[in-house]
Amino acid sequence: MDPEEVVQEDEGLGWGKSLPVPSVQEMVRKDSQSVPERYIQEHNNRPLDSEFSPDLCEIPIINFSLLANGDEEEQRKLDLACKEWGFFQITDHGVTEKVLHDMKEAEAAFFQLPLEEKKKYAMGENDLQGYGQGYVVSEQQKLEWCDLIFLLTLPPKIRKFKHWPVSIPGFKEAVETYSTDMQKVAEELLANLSLLMGMEKEDLKSLHGEMKQAMRMNYYPLCSRPELVLGISPHSDASTITLLLQDDELTGLQIRHKQKWVPVKPIPNAIVVNIGDALEVWSNGVYKSIEHRAVTNEKRSRMSIATFFIPGDEAEIGPLESMVDDKHHLRMYKKIRYLDFLRHSLGSKLDGKAHTEFLKLETE
Ligand code: OGA
Ligand code: NI
């Protein structure tokens, strides 16, 4: 088949697009010392030590198995974690070390492919699926020190295998198994959150219509000047929740907490969970979709896999009745069709909490 024809036939997700920019991995492979101007962040965006939280605070840790068994104390911890932090790590989640390991190996195998091979899975001109960079919307904007591959993973019918490096032995199987396991974890978390929000267990899931799952596999090459660049700029995720599998040793992720940046220290085999914009809106701002960013490292590259759980295109996001009243819990956000929100959010560069700010109602 003529490749041109495929591009024309497939209009992508209709979620947005990202302008093509060079591979950072390739740039560093050729010259590991230079940091081109386009990657040097403005002063106020650089990851300076002075902005760090002085007290050694760490995000909450939730025991997933207790939660799944209906432990009330653990449910209270979950509630508090979502209110005060918007981020937590889960341990005892039952996903085997092998599944986590195979997923990480699959990602590593992809980024080890020669550039020409990786390019076979490149994002189309009007699409965000595939290999490339995220959120590049203008020729002027600063670029991030990160390459990625973004894949839709569930339900199976939305998979576009032309972007999947299925020629890597075991890649497809590793992603499928990991994706199924993450779905179970996410659904259990959503069931608990549903109860905490005054609904029945299944209600939060139902509000999604046809819930989608997508994965963003990030590769942050080492950087000779980590104090000048960002792996990912401050942003909040457009999802309902996100599950992040990160490097077991290197700390790269930082979250905004009480006006400071708090690093998320890896706990081997734990999964980092964060609240996304859709849940912030449904919960009327009670659960927080917190700004986060990733920094780079001078000695080593770092990889991570973010699995996003996303409402269906036609789902409506707006504060739930159970989270609103006329006295103490005034309605804080507009209602919006999820696809419209997503297009707005993906069509602008990452900019802290700008995406949920745009949904905020004027309240005195
Ligand atoms: C993301 C993200 C953080 C990380 O992909 O949305 O926030 O540590 N990743 O890779
Ligand atoms: Ni994120």
Side-chain angles (χ1 to χ4, degrees), residues 19 36 71 103 169 173 193 226 298:
L19 300 173
D71 185 285
M103 182 62 235
E173 294 73 16
L193 291 165
E298 212 176 327

Side-chain angles (χ1 to χ4, degrees), residues 216 218 220 232 235 237 244 246 252-253 292 294 302 304 306 308:
R216 174 178 158 143
N218 298 302
Y220 306 102
I232 291 197
H235 67 284
D237 294 347
L244 184 84
Q246 58 165 345
L253 172 65
H292 52 287
R302 172 175 173 265
S304 70
F308 303 104

